[in-house]
Amino acid sequence: MKTGNQSVKTDFILLGLFQYGPVDTVLFVVIAILFSVALMGNIILILLIQLDTRLHTPMYFLLSQLSFIDMMYISTTVPKMATNFLSNSKTITFLGCEIQAFVFSVLGGTEALLLGVMSYDRYAAICHPLRYPVLMSKKICWFMITCAWTSCSINSLIHTLYAFQLPFCRSRLINHFFCEVPSMLPLVCQDTSQYEHTILLSGLIILLLPFMAILASYACVLTVVFQMSSGKGQTKAVSTCSSHLTVASLFYVTTLSTYTRPHSLHSLEEDKIVAVFYTIITPLLNPFIYSLRNKEVIRALRRVCVQKI
């Protein structure tokens, strides 16, 4: 397992969400159903936005990006977790663990920045409607999306390469249901307090700053909305913003809980439960919150269904 102070690149063992054998089959069925529903919900929303030309706007372009990220996000962790419920061998290779941690970090960070961009979109649409076509042009949308993907890819690459070159000489048992950098630190046999400061800094930049920007954006939006004379306009704006804020709050609060606390304050069992929210629940809720509470999406779904029939 180790030679001197160096670790050997061997397989890890994922202990999973719960360590109760008799309920593994039940958990597999539940997780498989949630995964299928989340996957289908996001795929349908992406196809709907592509097929209906009335949804070819910046808001729905960003929403399609969010659905794509959620689709990849849940596919990165859940299939392995589900198969482990029915498998006696819960191992994951060193390289597989490293790839999973990297991809998960990229997708999670990009979603955090994307939610911030989506709040800016609503701010521009409601607070500056006349300048909206300029503020959220196609070129600007692609620029912001590209920046989000690029910056999070670089950040995740740095963290993953550094974390996985640390000496894992205490154990191969990861008390989690997927490979995530904070869950790997208890396996390291050297002081990681300095490195945890870099994780905290990354978390504050990628998670807290966009969340604060969202709160500020919606404070401005609500101020403008309640000055409107049109009750219909108020209802539509509040409905759109409340949907986004609900999803954003669930995502940011849970991820901040994991990535901005020092290792000494982490509870491994609590971390696994919190992780369920940002790895499974959020990707599951996103397409339904944005579709069932959005009349434009409902009308677009009816139009597409009628056309196909």
Side-chain angles (χ1 to χ4, degrees):
M1 191 85 62
K2 59 180 179 178
T3 304
N5 198 34
Q6 300 298 320
S7 60
V8 176
K9 294 184 178 180
T10 185
D11 294 351
F12 292 107
I13 299 175
L14 296 168
L15 295 182
L17 183 58
F18 298 110
Q19 300 171 40
Y20 305 111
V23 298
D24 279 355
T25 304
V26 177
L27 286 173
F28 172 80
V29 173
V30 171
I31 294 299
I33 292 174
L34 292 178
F35 174 72
S36 301
V37 172
L39 207 60
M40 288 304 299
N42 283 293
I43 290 174
I44 290 173
L45 191 53
I46 291 173
L47 292 176
L48 186 61
I49 292 172
Q50 291 296 318
L51 293 172
D52 194 294
T53 55
R54 299 185 188 183
L55 298 183
H56 292 179
T57 63
M59 173 182 170
Y60 292 105
F61 167 73
L62 296 175
L63 181 54
S64 67
Q65 289 286 317
L66 179 64
S67 291
F68 172 75
I69 290 174
D70 282 336
M71 189 171 61
M72 299 299 295
Y73 200 46
I74 197 169
S75 299
T76 302
T77 58
V78 173
K80 177 62 177 175
M81 176 179 66
T83 54
N84 282 349
F85 284 134
L86 303 181
S87 173
N88 292 326
S89 174
K90 304 181 186 298
T91 61
I92 183 171
T93 64
F94 187 94
L95 180 60
C97 188
E98 191 171 14
I99 292 173
Q100 186 183 56
F102 169 72
V103 174
F104 179 82
S105 180
V106 172
L107 294 170
T110 305
E111 177 160 344
L113 296 181
L114 179 61
L115 289 171
V117 173
M118 292 174 71
S119 72
Y120 171 73
D121 170 74
R122 291 300 83 206
Y123 164 78
I126 295 172
C127 298
H128 302 283
L130 298 180
R131 298 176 56 201
Y132 180 70
V134 176
L135 294 175
M136 289 300 294
S137 65
K138 187 175 181 179
K139 185 177 180 180
I140 291 177
C141 285
W142 274 111
F143 174 75
M144 290 190 291
I145 292 298
T146 303
C147 286
W149 278 102
T150 303
S151 59
C152 289
S153 296
I154 294 173
N155 176 72
S156 300
L157 182 63
I158 293 172
H159 277 290
T160 304
L161 291 178
Y162 180 81
F164 279 82
Q165 59 83 38
L166 294 172
F168 297 105
C169 51
R170 287 181 177 172
S171 171
R172 294 189 305 137
L173 302 177
I174 302 175
N175 194 3
H176 214 317
F177 56 88
F178 69 99
C179 292
E180 187 178 27
V181 170
S183 68
M184 307 293 294
L185 296 183
L187 308 184
V188 178
C189 55
Q190 70 180 37
D191 181 33
T192 59
S193 58
Q194 293 298 319
Y195 174 58
E196 288 176 40
H197 293 155
T198 66
I199 296 179
L200 172 62
L201 180 61
S202 295
L204 292 176
I205 294 173
I206 295 178
L207 297 172
L208 186 59
L209 287 183
F211 190 37
M212 296 300 291
I214 288 174
L215 295 179
S217 296
Y218 285 126
C220 296
V221 167
L222 291 176
T223 300
V224 172
V225 164
F226 288 113
Q227 291 175 351
M228 292 180 178
S229 57
S230 170
K232 184 178 180 180
Q234 287 182 352
T235 303
K236 181 180 178 181
V238 170
S239 175
T240 302
C241 295
S242 62
S243 298
H244 185 195
L245 198 55
T246 300
V247 176
S249 298
L250 180 62
F251 177 79
Y252 285 112
V253 170
T254 52
T255 50
L256 282 168
S257 174
T258 298
Y259 286 92
T260 60
R261 287 188 301 166
H263 172 63
S264 58
L265 299 181
H266 278 261
S267 165
L268 295 178
E269 296 302 320
E270 179 185 313
D271 285 349
K272 289 192 287 186
I273 300 301
V274 170
V276 169
F277 284 93
Y278 59 82
T279 58
I280 301 176
I281 303 301
T282 301
L284 174 67
L285 291 181
N286 276 347
F288 298 101
I289 288 179
Y290 280 105
S291 59
L292 295 179
R293 299 193 62 186
N294 192 315
K295 293 181 180 179
E296 289 181 1
V297 174
I298 297 297
R299 286 195 291 265
L301 181 60
R302 289 173 181 168
R303 285 194 297 269
V304 171
C305 289
V306 169
Q307 290 173 1
K308 296 303 178 183
I309 292 173

